[in-house]
Amino acid sequence: MLIAQLTDTHIRAPGSLAYGVVDTAAFLEDAVAHLAALRPRPDVLIVTGDLTDFDRPEEYARFKALTAALPMPVFPIPGNHDSAAGLAAAFPDIAARAAGGKLNYAVDDFPVRLVMLDSSVPTAPHGELGDGTLAWLDAVLAAAPARPSLVALHHPPFATGIRHMDVQNLRDAAALETVLRRHGQVLALVCGHVHRTVLAAFAGRPASICPSPAHAVSLDLDPAAPPTFHMEPPGLHLHRFADGGLVTHLSFVGAHAGPYPFFGADKRMLDGTA
Ligand SMILES: [Fe+2]
């Protein structure tokens, strides 16, 4: 099973650039073309929040239009730039999977169970699951202890060292860790929010942050660093499940020179002298 993860697309209404600089829709177009061309084709796409820049209906509509041609099912959760209500209104099929209010839902259609968590807090940049979502997660995982599972949420429950982002990460990380420690079938935790690839361990298993296909939060580990972004190579994550294990690849979006063969027609390694 191949799970593609896209995050922090920050789509805006036509004619406007994020922060006056970033044409996020053009970057999403490139990412969609990249996803559609991948072989083998990902079985599913998860989108870990900040689909939109301002939680506006026209931004969700544009996100949906830009991703409509994707051949795989798309499962989004809200980030701090979205809202549960806004995303639910734009994706009634997703809202129907959740119990109402928080957009928590599990996808049971694949070899890996996808457990999607809503960490958004209305009008606040930080994340919080709250007692309701934590109880829901505990019960959902307890109901299928033998099903390999991937847990997804927008806000990372660990510090990255990028201070201005860490102050708006998941507030109830300790409570999430307590729940996950009870459920050994959770293979990994995947997040967004920080717009760059970050790898960590959380609750004794791999945890990762997926890059954005658009702008990257600047890698500046000075605690006094101002909030800035760089236009780094756009990317997304591919989580490959095989033989009971999960491996995560960073896939750069865009045209890159290659493929170049390692071996010549004579099956010998090319040494560059011929
Ligand atoms: Fe974001």
Side-chain angles (χ1 to χ4, degrees):
M1 180 185 181
L2 194 57
I3 304 160
Q5 181 187 4
L6 193 60
T7 197
D8 295 270
T9 51
H10 287 260
I11 294 302
R12 298 171 62 110
S16 67
L17 303 176
Y19 313 105
V21 174
V22 191
D23 185 355
T24 51
F27 281 110
L28 178 54
E29 266 183 298
D30 290 347
V32 165
H34 181 80
L35 282 166
L38 286 173
R39 297 293 181 273
R41 177 177 284 169
D43 300 286
V44 61
L45 172 66
I46 59 173
V47 188
T48 42
D50 287 0
L51 283 66
T52 70
D53 213 18
F54 287 105
D55 191 39
R56 293 176 180 145
E58 62 269 31
E59 297 174 343
Y60 289 106
R62 197 174 188 202
F63 177 92
K64 288 180 76 173
L66 288 167
T67 54
L70 282 174
M72 71 286 286
V74 179
F75 294 104
I77 43 175
N80 52 296
H81 284 252
D82 313 306
S83 71
L87 199 147
F91 293 86
D93 52 325
I94 296 298
R97 289 175 171 268
K102 287 272 197 176
L103 267 188
N104 304 308
Y105 59 98
V107 179
D108 285 307
D109 317 358
F110 301 99
V112 173
R113 190 175 195 219
L114 306 173
V115 182
M116 312 295 289
L117 298 180
D118 177 357
S119 60
S120 68
V121 177
T123 71
H126 72 271
E128 191 165 16
L129 294 170
D131 292 344
T133 291
L134 289 163
W136 178 88
L137 175 65
D138 202 20
V140 159
L141 293 174
R147 291 267 285 130
S149 301
L150 184 74
V151 173
L153 74 168
H154 181 68
H155 296 85
F158 52 87
T160 63
I162 302 173
R163 181 72 165 273
H164 65 92
M165 295 304 294
D166 290 342
V167 298
Q168 48 174 273
N169 68 3
L170 191 77
R171 291 278 161 87
D172 45 3
L176 174 60
E177 176 168 6
T178 300
V179 172
L180 292 180
R181 293 260 182 210
R182 287 200 277 265
H183 303 285
Q185 80 271 31
V186 176
L187 300 169
L189 190 78
V190 300
C191 313
H193 195 46
V194 188
H195 292 228
R196 54 185 315 109
T197 293
V198 182
L199 308 176
F202 183 77
R205 61 215 90 189
S208 59
I209 301 173
C210 180
S212 168
H215 48 299
V217 171
S218 304
L219 177 55
D220 189 337
L221 302 177
D222 180 342
T228 60
F229 64 89
H230 277 73
M231 299 314 298
E232 294 186 4
L236 51 86
H237 277 175
L238 297 172
H239 308 286
R240 180 176 183 265
F241 178 70
D243 304 323
L246 192 83
V247 166
T248 296
H249 294 272
L250 164 59
S251 183
F252 291 111
V253 175
H256 302 97
Y260 299 105
F262 285 114
F263 298 95
D266 60 359
K267 311 278 194 231
R268 298 173 67 143
M269 186 169 280
L270 293 165
D271 64 5
T273 57

